[in-house]
């Protein structure tokens, strides 16, 4: 793969003129069609190279090029053969187009546009389908990445992605247009974005279909993030999609495929409970790109996480840069534009957790604390899926087994249906699981009549899921078995028209037979720089300068100063949080007084005589949190619960008197019941 670079010293024009993106969302699945328009303004034949990110679990299913009135549709071929065909075409003076996935990261693609004649234009059409991830607030998240960034790479490994030198957003010489169409069995309640949108337009009275567009003039200064909200989102659904008419019956693409959506709603009684102990591994990126505000934010977030752990929890902290160590199960977070979706989602999947993405405009702490709460609450376990189908119809599971589902997490299950049934036939699927030790089950009846003319997004995603499982198996195998698995991946990729690690899309224009004259000039397409001096990286950030495995520390005493940053946090909330003891209490000292905005004398004087200093200090801290930081309750709720538990254990006298005196001191009117006392 070639590298993306800056304009050259002579500021010669880059051939990419514009990018047009059309998004179609059907329930939980998105089909994305991107059109890239190129023009060679030079006096020599040109090869243009464009490196760009896609979601790690995306199924790239169409690639074509239009030159003048001639359209060339690419085929999926084994990667080495595709490379040879591309090189042969260029060496013989023909036009060729190659689209391939990076060997190191499945969310990085390279598009090579070969042998554009002087003055010639080409339009490249790329289509992919992807599942939309559910956010904690029940929104479905779609992200159109604006930049491809350097990523973390283990020492001694090859580049995880191509080194990308970027330019300021104002100098990027191509434009973006973006439009979306949303349809769902349930009403669309709203669509939000981090970029300016035109007003949402509903297409029917039921409000199950809507369109929205990005306001013109987008400057590529951030990823385009779209959040889509449906009413009654927790109801399970099953969608049956017809197979491809030209495909062989009995094959994945020839048979109907069903997609089952599982998005359980947890009872409030279950979600109000929090585990009293647990084991946690904190993985932090402290590599060179993690400077500035990102380091500070991660440092503060780590402090908040450690203070919120219940007594009796075990934890480890691992940091990585040029060195890395093995990690255990953990929830994962992608931080900043350009975070590797393949890395973040892969970590969460392998760890049995879930992933969240935090952009540079987001506050990190609420999302991180939300995941900590999820990890401390019961999860749906022991999940089984049983299909009940008419006689003559059989089912083949295409998705790996689901190990766990956390609050706010959704899972899509794919299965192949083989055999014949009447159009009026129904199927039934029963999902059994355990939640907080109590067995439960959901049953869903669905029509076996398949949806026609959908563009096969469900089949493509099912194929991508199966390819992903096989690729994982290939990485863990060796010898003849490895070759056998690789052969299966290539066969499935070619059959389904979905890209894989071992295949590529190749298109060659053999139209007029005219041989191009002159040397071929390579021009690399720049990507926009997101910030002036630094590039975002995936995963957590921390200021530790070397790998620090903190093994088997039991959280029964205060976190030592060596674990925490030397620089005190400036945020008043974090300043107060940093003073909390591991047990959950606060100490009455000048630092606490300063955090509360008072002098030591002002804080000590109103304390009831019969109350000890730690009880008084802890009640003051709780009153301050409830009175001054209710807008950030998600961030401090767990550590406040720990403080309340500590107060209950003290069986302290005069609690009502303390609350009244604390309100008078701090100027609030927080009720004792609101504090949990």
């Amino acid at each position: 793969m070639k590298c993306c670079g800056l304009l050259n010293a002579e500021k010669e024009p880059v051939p990419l003129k514009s990018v047009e993106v059309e998004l179609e969302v059907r329930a939980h699945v998105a089909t994305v069609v991107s059109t890239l328009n190129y023009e060679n303004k030079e006096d020599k034949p040109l090869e243009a190279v464009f490196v760009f990110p896609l979601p790690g679990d995306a199924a790239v299913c169409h690639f074509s090029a239009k030159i003048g009135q001639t359209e060339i549709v690419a085929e999926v071929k084994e990667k080495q053969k595709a490379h040879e065909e591309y090189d042969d075409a260029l060496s013989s003076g023909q036009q060729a187009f190659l689209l391939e996935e990076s060997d190191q990261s499945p969310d990085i693609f390279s598009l090579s546009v070969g042998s554009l004649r002087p003055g010639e234009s080409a339009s490249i059409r790329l289509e992919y389908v992807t599942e939309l991830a559910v956010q904690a607030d029940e929104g479905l998240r779609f992200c159109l990445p604006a930049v491809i960034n350097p990523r973390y790479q283990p020492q001694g490994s090859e580049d995880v992605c191509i080194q990308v030198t970027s330019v300021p957003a104002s100098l990027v010489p191509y434009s973006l247009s973006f439009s979306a169409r949303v349809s769902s069995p349930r009403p669309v309640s709203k669509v939000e974005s981090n970029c300016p949108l035109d007003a949402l337009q509903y297409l029917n009275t039921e409000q199950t279909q809507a369109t929205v567009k990005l306001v013109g003039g987008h400057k590529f200064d951030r990823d385009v993030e779209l959040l889509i909200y449906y009413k009654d989102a927790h109801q399970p659904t099953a969608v049956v999609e017809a197979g491809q008419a030209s495909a062989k019956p009995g094959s994945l693409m020839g048979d109907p495929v069903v997609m089952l959506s599982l998005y359980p709603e947890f009872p409030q009684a279950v979600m109000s409970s929090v585990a009293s102990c647990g084991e946690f591994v904190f993985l932090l990126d402290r590599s060179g790109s993690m400077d500035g505000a990102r380091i500070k934010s991660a440092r503060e977030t780590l402090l908040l996480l450690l203070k919120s752990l219940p007594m009796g929890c075990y934890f480890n902290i691992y940091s990585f840069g040029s060195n890395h160590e093995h990690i255990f199960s953990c929830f994962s977070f992608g931080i900043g534009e350009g975070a590797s979706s393949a890395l973040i989602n892969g970590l969460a999947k392998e760890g049995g957790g879930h992933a969240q993405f935090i952009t540079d405009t987001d506050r990190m702490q609420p999302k991180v604390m939300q995941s900590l709460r999820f990890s401390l609450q019961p999860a749906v376990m022991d999940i089984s899926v049983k299909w009940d189908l008419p006689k003559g119809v059989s089912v083949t599971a295409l998705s790996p087994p689901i190990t766990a589902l956390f609050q706010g997490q959704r899972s899509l299950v794919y299965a192949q249906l083989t055999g014949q049934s009447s159009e009026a036939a129904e199927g039934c699927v029963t999902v059994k699981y355990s939640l907080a030790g109590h067995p439960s089950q959901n049953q869903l009846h669905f029509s076996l009549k398949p949806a026609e003319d959908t563009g096969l997004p469900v089949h493509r995603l099912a194929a991508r899921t199966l390819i992903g499982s096989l690729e994982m198996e290939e990485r863990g195998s060796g010898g003849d078995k490895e070759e056998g698995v690789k052969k299966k991946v290539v066969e499935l990729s070619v059959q389904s028209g979905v890209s894989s690690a071992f295949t590529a899309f190749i298109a060659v224009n053999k139209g007029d037979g005219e041989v191009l004259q002159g040397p071929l000039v390579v021009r690399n397409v720049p990507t926009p720089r997101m910030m002036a001096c630094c590039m975002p990286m995936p995963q957590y950030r921390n200021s530790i300068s070397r790998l620090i495995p903190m093994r088997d520390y039991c959280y029964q005493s205060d976190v030592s100063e060596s674990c925490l940053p030397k620089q005190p946090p400036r945020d008043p909330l974090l300043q107060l949080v940093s003073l909390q003891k591991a047990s959950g209490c606060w100490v009455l000292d000048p630092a606490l007084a300063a955090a509360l905005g008072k002098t030591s004398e002002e804080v000590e004087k109103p304390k009831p005589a019969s109350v000890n200093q730690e009880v008084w200090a802890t009640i003051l801290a709780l009153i301050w949190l409830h009175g001054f930081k209710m807008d950030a309750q998600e961030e401090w709720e767990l550590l406040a619960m720990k403080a309340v538990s500590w107060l209950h254990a003290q069986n302290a006298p005069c609690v009502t008197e303390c609350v009244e005196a604390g309100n008078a001191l701090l100027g609030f009117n927080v009720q004792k019941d609101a504090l949990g006392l």
Side-chain angles (χ1 to χ4, degrees):
M1 293 171 67
K2 311 291 194 303
C3 76
C4 248
L6 287 168
L7 295 169
N8 62 21
E10 290 74 33
K11 299 198 175 185
E12 293 173 300
V14 174
L16 182 59
K17 290 173 58 183
S18 63
V19 180
E20 302 165 11
V21 179
E22 297 175 3
L23 170 68
E24 182 170 359
V25 177
R26 294 186 180 183
H28 295 266
V29 172
T31 301
V32 186
V33 179
S34 297
T35 304
L36 294 83
N37 299 305
Y38 290 85
E39 181 180 5
N40 182 8
K41 294 184 178 180
E42 303 193 25
D43 57 1
K44 310 177 190 68
L46 187 71
E47 179 184 17
V49 183
F50 188 44
V51 179
F52 56 96
L54 289 178
D57 57 355
V60 179
C61 54
H62 177 87
F63 174 47
S64 61
K66 189 173 184 181
I67 302 173
Q69 299 302 311
T70 304
E71 184 176 13
I72 316 147
V73 178
E75 300 177 71
V76 178
K77 296 188 176 182
E78 192 274 327
K79 187 174 280 190
Q80 184 60 38
K81 291 181 180 178
H83 271 268
E84 292 172 358
E85 192 170 331
Y86 179 78
D87 291 339
D88 289 346
L90 294 192
S91 62
S92 62
Q94 294 177 322
Q95 293 171 320
F97 306 86
L98 181 72
L99 178 70
E100 60 179 328
E101 178 184 304
S102 163
D103 290 333
Q104 276 78 35
S105 183
D107 60 348
I108 305 299
F109 281 76
S110 174
L111 169 61
S112 299
V113 179
S115 295
L116 272 184
R117 296 180 176 90
E120 192 168 49
S121 296
S123 180
I124 308 298
R125 180 184 170 95
L126 168 70
E127 182 175 332
Y128 67 89
V129 291
T130 185
E131 299 176 1
L132 294 181
V134 179
Q135 301 301 286
D137 63 355
E138 300 187 356
L140 295 178
R141 180 182 184 265
F142 169 77
C143 182
L144 181 68
V147 68
I148 171 66
N149 294 316
R151 303 268 173 84
Y152 161 73
Q153 65 182 82
Q155 190 176 37
S157 72
E158 297 180 10
D159 290 344
V160 170
C161 78
I162 293 67
Q163 180 178 351
V164 178
T165 310
S166 57
V167 300
S170 60
L171 297 182
V172 173
Y174 47 89
S175 60
L176 168 73
S177 66
F178 176 85
S179 62
R181 180 187 177 101
V182 183
S183 60
S184 170
R186 297 181 179 84
V188 181
S189 58
K190 62 179 177 177
V191 176
E192 297 178 348
S193 177
N194 62 331
C195 300
L197 296 174
D198 288 337
L200 185 68
Q201 301 289 326
Y202 288 106
L203 303 180
N204 58 6
T205 54
E206 295 84 6
Q207 297 188 342
T208 56
Q209 298 180 20
T211 61
V212 69
K213 291 194 300 183
L214 192 68
V215 171
H218 181 65
K219 297 298 183 185
F220 278 91
D221 57 341
R222 74 202 80 169
D223 292 353
V224 177
E225 184 182 63
L226 215 61
L227 294 173
I228 302 163
Y229 298 84
Y230 297 138
K231 294 180 181 176
D232 304 321
H234 287 281
Q235 296 300 317
T237 58
V239 175
V240 179
E241 183 180 81
Q244 199 170 25
S246 59
K248 180 183 176 182
S251 67
L252 171 60
M253 299 305 292
D255 283 344
V257 169
V258 59
M259 179 180 71
L260 173 65
S261 171
L262 301 178
Y263 188 21
E265 188 168 19
F266 288 39
Q268 186 57 40
V270 172
M271 299 319 299
S272 60
S273 62
V274 174
S276 59
C277 62
E279 298 181 9
F280 296 86
V281 176
F282 299 107
L283 178 65
L284 304 120
D285 182 352
R286 45 123 181 116
S287 57
S289 298
M290 302 308 300
D291 55 2
R294 296 182 182 86
I295 287 285
K296 179 176 181 292
S297 184
R299 188 167 59 220
E300 294 170 348
T301 303
L302 176 63
L303 171 70
L304 203 57
L305 283 164
L306 295 178
K307 294 292 185 179
S308 299
L309 292 181
M311 292 290 289
C313 284
Y314 288 82
F315 70 91
N316 274 340
I317 301 174
Y318 284 79
S319 68
F320 67 88
S322 57
N323 300 307
H324 71 286
E325 291 238 348
H326 179 69
I327 62 168
F328 308 109
S329 304
C330 59
F331 288 71
S332 62
F333 303 87
I335 299 171
E337 279 84 359
S340 170
S341 61
L343 174 62
I344 306 306
N345 289 322
L347 280 171
K349 183 178 179 180
E350 292 305 306
H354 82 140
Q356 296 207 65
F357 289 82
I358 303 165
T359 65
D360 283 333
T361 57
D362 289 339
R363 184 168 168 81
M364 188 188 303
Q365 287 84 356
K367 286 189 175 181
V368 174
M369 296 309 299
Q370 203 164 45
S371 283
L372 177 60
R373 173 176 275 280
F374 287 169
S375 69
L376 288 169
Q377 290 170 330
V380 168
M381 308 292 287
D382 305 321
I383 303 168
S384 66
V385 178
K386 182 182 178 183
W387 302 89
D388 185 10
L389 301 170
K391 187 176 180 180
V393 180
S394 61
V395 63
T396 303
L398 303 174
S399 302
I402 308 169
T403 55
L405 281 176
F406 293 88
Q407 165 73 349
Q409 194 176 10
R410 179 223 56 206
S411 183
L412 297 180
V413 177
Y414 300 95
Q416 179 180 343
L417 302 178
T418 304
Q420 298 292 325
S421 65
S422 66
E423 287 198 356
E426 273 196 347
C428 178
V429 59
T430 303
V431 181
K432 295 183 178 180
Y433 57 88
S434 172
L435 178 60
H438 301 290
S440 299
Q441 75 173 41
N442 284 336
Q443 202 170 65
L444 175 67
H445 294 265
F446 60 95
S447 170
L448 287 177
K449 183 180 179 181
E452 307 281 353
D453 302 324
T454 60
L456 299 171
V458 173
H459 279 75
R460 312 287 193 199
L461 286 173
R464 188 69 192 95
T465 298
L466 195 52
I467 286 171
S469 298
L470 288 170
E471 287 174 343
M472 287 290 292
E473 183 181 339
E474 186 270 342
R475 284 191 283 271
S477 60
D480 293 339
K481 184 178 180 182
E482 180 180 344
E483 284 302 313
V485 174
K486 182 178 177 180
K487 184 179 178 182
K488 284 183 184 177
V489 171
V490 172
E491 289 175 354
L492 181 56
S493 177
V494 171
Q495 178 200 128
S496 62
V498 170
S499 63
S500 74
F502 309 120
T503 54
F505 281 90
I506 175 70
V508 178
N509 182 14
K510 302 176 181 178
D512 55 18
E514 180 184 345
V515 177
L516 297 176
Q517 302 297 325
L520 193 64
V521 178
V522 177
R523 290 283 179 260
N524 297 307
V525 181
T527 55
R529 181 168 63 224
M530 306 304 290
M531 301 187 73
C533 61
C534 59
M535 300 290 282
M537 288 284 288
Q539 282 294 24
Y540 299 95
R541 295 154 270 196
N542 186 268
S543 61
I544 303 172
S545 60
R546 61 188 185 282
L547 188 67
I548 305 177
M550 301 184 63
R551 306 183 187 280
D552 303 328
Y553 276 66
C554 185
Y555 200 63
Q556 294 284 5
S557 60
D558 297 328
V559 180
S560 68
E561 289 299 317
S562 62
C563 302
L564 299 176
K566 300 297 182 184
Q567 179 184 347
R570 295 180 181 177
D571 185 297
L573 171 60
L574 293 169
Q575 188 176 352
L576 182 70
V577 167
S578 68
L579 299 174
Q580 188 186 31
K581 310 299 282 185
S583 62
C585 72
W586 275 264
V587 175
L588 193 64
D589 60 13
L592 176 64
L596 299 176
K598 302 292 181 181
T599 65
S600 295
E601 185 180 357
E602 287 174 324
V603 168
E604 293 170 3
K605 188 175 180 181
K607 181 183 76 68
S610 59
V611 175
N612 74 43
Q613 291 189 344
E614 289 185 344
V615 169
W616 171 241
T618 303
I619 290 176
L620 287 179
L622 288 172
I623 292 173
W624 187 92
L625 289 171
H626 282 266
F628 193 64
K629 283 291 181 180
M630 280 302 291
D631 59 334
Q633 187 176 11
E634 280 186 330
E635 301 180 32
W636 53 258
E637 189 173 26
L638 289 175
L639 61 88
M641 290 170 61
K642 188 161 65 169
V644 170
S645 296
W646 180 85
L647 285 170
H648 284 309
Q650 306 311 303
N651 198 22
C654 307
V655 170
T656 301
E657 186 180 349
C658 286
V659 172
E660 291 173 353
N663 276 318
L665 172 65
L666 299 175
F668 299 120
N669 188 27
V670 180
Q671 300 301 306
K672 186 174 76 168
D673 291 346
L675 296 176
L677 300 175

